[in-house]
Amino acid sequence: MTIEKRGDAHLITHAMAKDTLSKIRDENTEQVGFRKGLVKLGRICGYEIIDGAMDTEYVSIDTPLTETTGERVKGLDDVVIINVLRAATPFVEGLLKAFPRAKQGVISAGRDEEAGMNENGEFPITIDYVKLPEIKEDDTVIVADPMLATGSTMCAVLDEVLNEQPNPENFFVLSAVSAPDGLLHVHEQFPEADLLTVSIDDHLNDDGFIVPGLGDAGDRAFRTA
Protein backbone atom coordinates (compact mmCIF):
# COMPACT_ATOMS: atom_id res chain seq x y z
CA MET A 1 0.00 0.00 0.00
CA THR A 2 1.42 3.40 -0.98
CA ILE A 3 -1.01 5.56 1.00
CA GLU A 4 0.23 6.27 4.53
CA LYS A 5 -1.52 7.95 7.45
CA ARG A 6 0.23 11.18 8.48
CA GLY A 7 -1.57 13.04 11.25
CA ASP A 8 -4.80 14.49 9.86
CA ALA A 9 -3.93 13.49 6.29
CA HIS A 10 -2.99 10.51 4.13
CA LEU A 11 0.21 10.71 2.11
CA ILE A 12 0.48 9.13 -1.36
CA THR A 13 3.99 7.68 -1.39
CA HIS A 14 4.02 5.97 -4.79
CA ALA A 15 7.52 6.33 -6.27
CA MET A 16 6.26 7.77 -9.57
CA ALA A 17 4.09 10.29 -7.74
CA LYS A 18 7.14 11.56 -5.87
CA ASP A 19 9.23 11.55 -9.05
CA THR A 20 6.62 13.51 -11.00
CA LEU A 21 6.12 16.01 -8.18
CA SER A 22 9.87 16.65 -8.06
CA LYS A 23 9.87 17.46 -11.78
CA ILE A 24 7.01 19.96 -11.57
CA ARG A 25 8.47 21.65 -8.50
CA ASP A 26 11.52 22.62 -10.58
CA GLU A 27 11.28 26.25 -11.67
CA ASN A 28 12.97 25.27 -14.95
CA THR A 29 10.04 23.01 -15.93
CA GLU A 30 8.19 25.05 -18.54
CA GLN A 31 4.45 25.20 -19.18
CA VAL A 32 3.99 22.07 -21.28
CA GLY A 33 6.09 19.95 -18.94
CA PHE A 34 4.29 21.36 -15.92
CA ARG A 35 0.82 20.66 -17.35
CA LYS A 36 1.80 17.15 -18.43
CA GLY A 37 3.24 16.57 -14.98
CA LEU A 38 -0.03 17.56 -13.30
CA VAL A 39 -1.95 15.26 -15.66
CA LYS A 40 0.39 12.37 -14.87
CA LEU A 41 0.18 13.07 -11.14
CA GLY A 42 -3.62 13.09 -11.28
CA ARG A 43 -3.64 9.71 -13.04
CA ILE A 44 -1.30 8.17 -10.47
CA CYS A 45 -3.38 9.55 -7.59
CA GLY A 46 -6.53 8.18 -9.20
CA TYR A 47 -5.06 4.69 -9.39
CA GLU A 48 -3.95 4.96 -5.77
CA ILE A 49 -7.50 5.85 -4.71
CA ILE A 50 -8.79 2.82 -6.60
CA ASP A 51 -6.22 0.57 -4.96
CA GLY A 52 -6.64 1.98 -1.47
CA ALA A 53 -10.33 2.72 -1.16
CA MET A 54 -12.42 0.81 -3.68
CA ASP A 55 -13.60 -2.78 -3.43
CA THR A 56 -13.34 -5.47 -6.08
CA GLU A 57 -15.61 -8.35 -7.00
CA TYR A 58 -15.08 -11.69 -8.71
CA VAL A 59 -16.70 -12.13 -12.11
CA SER A 60 -16.97 -14.94 -14.63
CA ILE A 61 -15.09 -14.36 -17.90
CA ASP A 62 -15.07 -16.29 -21.16
CA THR A 63 -11.60 -16.10 -22.66
CA PRO A 64 -10.93 -17.28 -26.26
CA LEU A 65 -9.94 -20.64 -24.74
CA THR A 66 -12.09 -21.28 -21.67
CA GLU A 67 -14.16 -19.84 -18.85
CA THR A 68 -12.27 -18.37 -15.92
CA THR A 69 -12.74 -16.06 -12.94
CA GLY A 70 -11.57 -12.46 -13.03
CA GLU A 71 -11.64 -9.53 -10.64
CA ARG A 72 -13.23 -6.15 -11.36
CA VAL A 73 -13.27 -2.86 -9.45
CA LYS A 74 -16.68 -2.02 -8.01
CA GLY A 75 -18.15 1.47 -8.10
CA LEU A 76 -16.32 2.96 -11.08
CA ASP A 77 -19.65 4.26 -12.40
CA ASP A 78 -20.32 5.97 -9.06
CA VAL A 79 -17.46 8.46 -8.99
CA VAL A 80 -17.83 12.25 -8.85
CA ILE A 81 -14.81 14.49 -9.50
CA ILE A 82 -15.01 18.17 -8.54
CA ASN A 83 -12.69 20.46 -10.48
CA VAL A 84 -11.65 23.56 -8.52
CA LEU A 85 -10.94 26.03 -11.32
CA ARG A 86 -8.59 26.77 -12.77
CA ALA A 87 -5.42 25.12 -11.52
CA ALA A 88 -7.08 21.74 -11.04
CA THR A 89 -8.00 21.34 -14.72
CA PRO A 90 -4.89 19.34 -15.79
CA PHE A 91 -4.92 17.50 -12.44
CA VAL A 92 -8.53 16.42 -13.12
CA GLU A 93 -7.60 15.45 -16.69
CA GLY A 94 -5.29 12.87 -15.15
CA LEU A 95 -7.93 11.67 -12.69
CA LEU A 96 -10.28 11.06 -15.61
CA LYS A 97 -7.79 8.63 -17.10
CA ALA A 98 -8.30 6.53 -13.97
CA PHE A 99 -12.05 7.25 -13.76
CA PRO A 100 -13.18 7.74 -17.39
CA ARG A 101 -16.89 7.35 -16.53
CA ALA A 102 -16.88 9.76 -13.60
CA LYS A 103 -19.46 12.49 -13.27
CA GLN A 104 -17.87 15.91 -13.10
CA GLY A 105 -18.57 19.08 -11.18
CA VAL A 106 -16.95 22.50 -11.52
CA ILE A 107 -16.48 25.21 -8.91
CA SER A 108 -14.69 28.46 -9.68
CA ALA A 109 -13.25 29.74 -6.41
CA GLY A 110 -10.42 32.11 -5.62
CA ARG A 111 -8.99 33.94 -2.67
CA ASP A 112 -8.69 37.71 -2.42
CA GLU A 113 -4.93 38.18 -2.51
CA GLU A 114 -5.19 41.95 -2.03
CA ALA A 115 -7.13 41.55 1.20
CA GLY A 116 -4.46 39.24 2.55
CA MET A 117 -4.70 36.75 5.39
CA ASN A 118 -6.58 37.67 8.53
CA GLU A 119 -5.33 36.98 12.04
CA ASN A 120 -6.62 33.42 11.78
CA GLY A 121 -4.57 32.73 8.66
CA GLU A 122 -7.63 32.77 6.36
CA PHE A 123 -8.39 34.58 3.10
CA PRO A 124 -11.74 35.95 1.88
CA ILE A 125 -12.98 33.59 -0.84
CA THR A 126 -15.08 34.43 -3.87
CA ILE A 127 -17.19 31.71 -5.51
CA ASP A 128 -17.95 32.72 -9.11
CA TYR A 129 -19.50 29.57 -10.59
CA VAL A 130 -20.89 26.28 -9.31
CA LYS A 131 -22.15 23.36 -11.41
CA LEU A 132 -22.41 20.06 -9.60
CA PRO A 133 -23.99 16.69 -10.40
CA GLU A 134 -26.24 14.95 -7.91
CA ILE A 135 -24.22 13.19 -5.22
CA LYS A 136 -25.46 9.92 -3.76
CA GLU A 137 -24.49 8.29 -0.48
CA ASP A 138 -22.70 5.41 -2.21
CA ASP A 139 -20.63 7.68 -4.49
CA THR A 140 -16.89 8.18 -4.33
CA VAL A 141 -16.35 11.94 -4.42
CA ILE A 142 -12.94 13.48 -5.16
CA VAL A 143 -12.50 17.25 -4.75
CA ALA A 144 -9.26 18.08 -6.57
CA ASP A 145 -7.02 21.13 -6.23
CA PRO A 146 -3.25 20.80 -6.69
CA MET A 147 -2.51 23.28 -3.88
CA LEU A 148 -3.94 23.16 -0.34
CA ALA A 149 -2.41 26.20 1.35
CA THR A 150 -4.44 27.95 4.07
CA GLY A 151 -7.47 25.75 3.41
CA SER A 152 -9.70 28.82 2.94
CA THR A 153 -10.57 28.03 -0.68
CA MET A 154 -11.10 24.33 -0.03
CA CYS A 155 -13.43 24.96 2.91
CA ALA A 156 -15.53 27.32 0.77
CA VAL A 157 -15.62 24.69 -1.98
CA LEU A 158 -16.64 21.91 0.42
CA ASP A 159 -19.46 24.09 1.74
CA GLU A 160 -20.80 24.19 -1.82
CA VAL A 161 -20.25 20.47 -2.46
CA LEU A 162 -22.07 19.34 0.67
CA ASN A 163 -24.85 21.93 0.53
CA GLU A 164 -28.10 19.93 0.66
CA GLN A 165 -26.23 16.81 -0.51
CA PRO A 166 -25.75 13.58 1.46
CA ASN A 167 -22.32 12.74 2.84
CA PRO A 168 -20.83 10.28 0.32
CA GLU A 169 -19.42 6.93 1.37
CA ASN A 170 -15.93 7.83 0.11
CA PHE A 171 -15.14 11.55 0.29
CA PHE A 172 -11.64 12.71 -0.67
CA VAL A 173 -9.89 16.07 -0.80
CA LEU A 174 -6.94 15.53 -3.14
CA SER A 175 -3.94 17.82 -3.55
CA ALA A 176 -0.43 17.58 -4.92
CA VAL A 177 1.16 19.69 -2.18
CA SER A 178 -0.32 20.80 1.13
CA ALA A 179 0.65 23.02 4.03
CA PRO A 180 0.20 21.71 7.58
CA ASP A 181 -1.99 24.70 8.53
CA GLY A 182 -4.32 24.08 5.60
CA LEU A 183 -4.69 20.38 6.37
CA LEU A 184 -5.53 21.18 9.98
CA HIS A 185 -8.05 23.84 8.97
CA VAL A 186 -9.90 21.57 6.53
CA HIS A 187 -9.83 18.63 8.94
CA GLU A 188 -11.35 20.74 11.72
CA GLN A 189 -14.11 22.06 9.46
CA PHE A 190 -14.80 18.83 7.55
CA PRO A 191 -13.67 15.81 9.58
CA GLU A 192 -15.72 13.55 7.30
CA ALA A 193 -13.33 14.21 4.39
CA ASP A 194 -10.23 12.07 3.86
CA LEU A 195 -7.33 14.39 3.03
CA LEU A 196 -4.99 12.93 0.39
CA THR A 197 -1.79 14.62 -0.71
CA VAL A 198 1.50 13.73 -2.39
CA SER A 199 3.51 16.04 -0.13
CA ILE A 200 3.06 17.84 3.18
CA ASP A 201 5.32 20.84 2.74
CA ASP A 202 7.13 22.87 5.39
CA HIS A 203 5.06 25.98 5.98
CA LEU A 204 3.17 28.98 4.58
CA ASN A 205 5.01 32.23 3.98
CA ASP A 206 3.63 35.62 5.03
CA ASP A 207 1.65 35.86 1.78
CA GLY A 208 -0.05 32.50 2.32
CA PHE A 209 1.97 30.57 -0.28
CA ILE A 210 3.21 27.02 0.32
CA VAL A 211 6.96 26.64 0.86
CA PRO A 212 8.71 24.96 -0.93
CA GLY A 213 5.52 24.48 -2.98
CA LEU A 214 5.08 24.70 -6.74
CA GLY A 215 4.70 28.42 -7.20
CA ASP A 216 1.36 29.49 -8.66
CA ALA A 217 0.10 26.26 -10.25
CA GLY A 218 -2.53 28.04 -12.35
CA ASP A 219 -0.09 30.55 -13.77
CA ARG A 220 2.49 27.88 -14.51
CA ALA A 221 -0.03 25.55 -16.16
CA PHE A 222 -1.70 28.23 -18.29
CA ARG A 223 1.28 30.57 -18.80
CA THR A 224 -0.42 33.62 -17.38
CA ALA A 225 2.52 34.83 -15.30
Side-chain angles (χ1 to χ4, degrees), residues 1-205:
M1 180 65 66
T2 52
I3 298 180
E4 299 178 358
K5 178 71 172 174
R6 297 289 178 88
D8 298 325
H10 291 80
L11 196 65
I12 295 173
T13 61
H14 192 288
M16 286 307 300
K18 293 188 289 186
D19 179 88
T20 304
L21 177 60
S22 296
K23 290 177 181 176
I24 64 175
R25 281 195 195 274
D26 190 336
E27 65 177 356
N28 294 315
T29 298
E30 40 69 52
Q31 178 203 12
V32 174
F34 187 84
R35 280 183 59 90
K36 287 184 175 179
L38 277 181
V39 173
K40 183 176 182 179
L41 199 57
R43 175 171 52 82
I44 295 168
C45 290
Y47 290 146
E48 290 299 285
I49 290 172
I50 291 172
D51 187 55
M54 302 186 76
D55 295 328
T56 60
E57 60 183 347
Y58 292 106
V59 296
S60 177
I61 299 171
D62 291 320
T63 79
L65 298 179
T66 187
E67 181 180 343
T68 188
T69 299
E71 199 169 356
R72 302 292 300 270
V73 178
K74 297 172 62 177
L76 289 177
D77 287 327
D78 301 314
V79 176
V80 179
I81 299 174
I82 310 299
N83 182 349
V84 182
L85 294 177
R86 68 181 163 150
T89 299
F91 202 35
V92 166
E93 182 181 339
L95 282 169
L96 289 171
K97 295 181 184 297
F99 303 104
R101 297 191 297 275
K103 294 179 287 186
Q104 295 182 64
V106 173
I107 297 180
S108 176
R111 64 189 193 183
D112 187 341
E113 302 285 359
E114 292 185 3
M117 288 189 294
N118 63 23
E119 60 185 13
N120 296 320
E122 300 172 351
F123 281 88
I125 303 299
T126 300
I127 303 288
D128 294 315
Y129 180 78
V130 177
K131 185 65 175 179
L132 300 174
E134 179 185 2
I135 294 174
K136 305 190 298 286
E137 290 184 1
D138 57 353
D139 283 340
T140 294
V141 176
I142 305 167
V143 183
D145 195 349
M147 312 285 287
L148 178 58
T150 67
S152 303
T153 300
M154 184 55 69
C155 284
V157 167
L158 295 181
D159 276 331
E160 294 288 343
V161 172
L162 296 177
N163 182 30
E164 299 182 357
Q165 303 255 35
N167 286 341
E169 180 178 348
N170 291 321
F171 185 31
F172 298 103
V173 170
L174 176 65
S175 57
V177 295
S178 303
D181 290 352
L183 291 170
L184 179 62
H185 185 196
V186 176
H187 176 71
E188 289 177 342
Q189 296 296 316
F190 298 92
E192 65 271 37
D194 288 320
L195 308 180
L196 290 178
T197 187
V198 181
S199 175
I200 301 174
D201 279 14
D202 294 338
H203 64 279
L204 294 172
N205 66 16

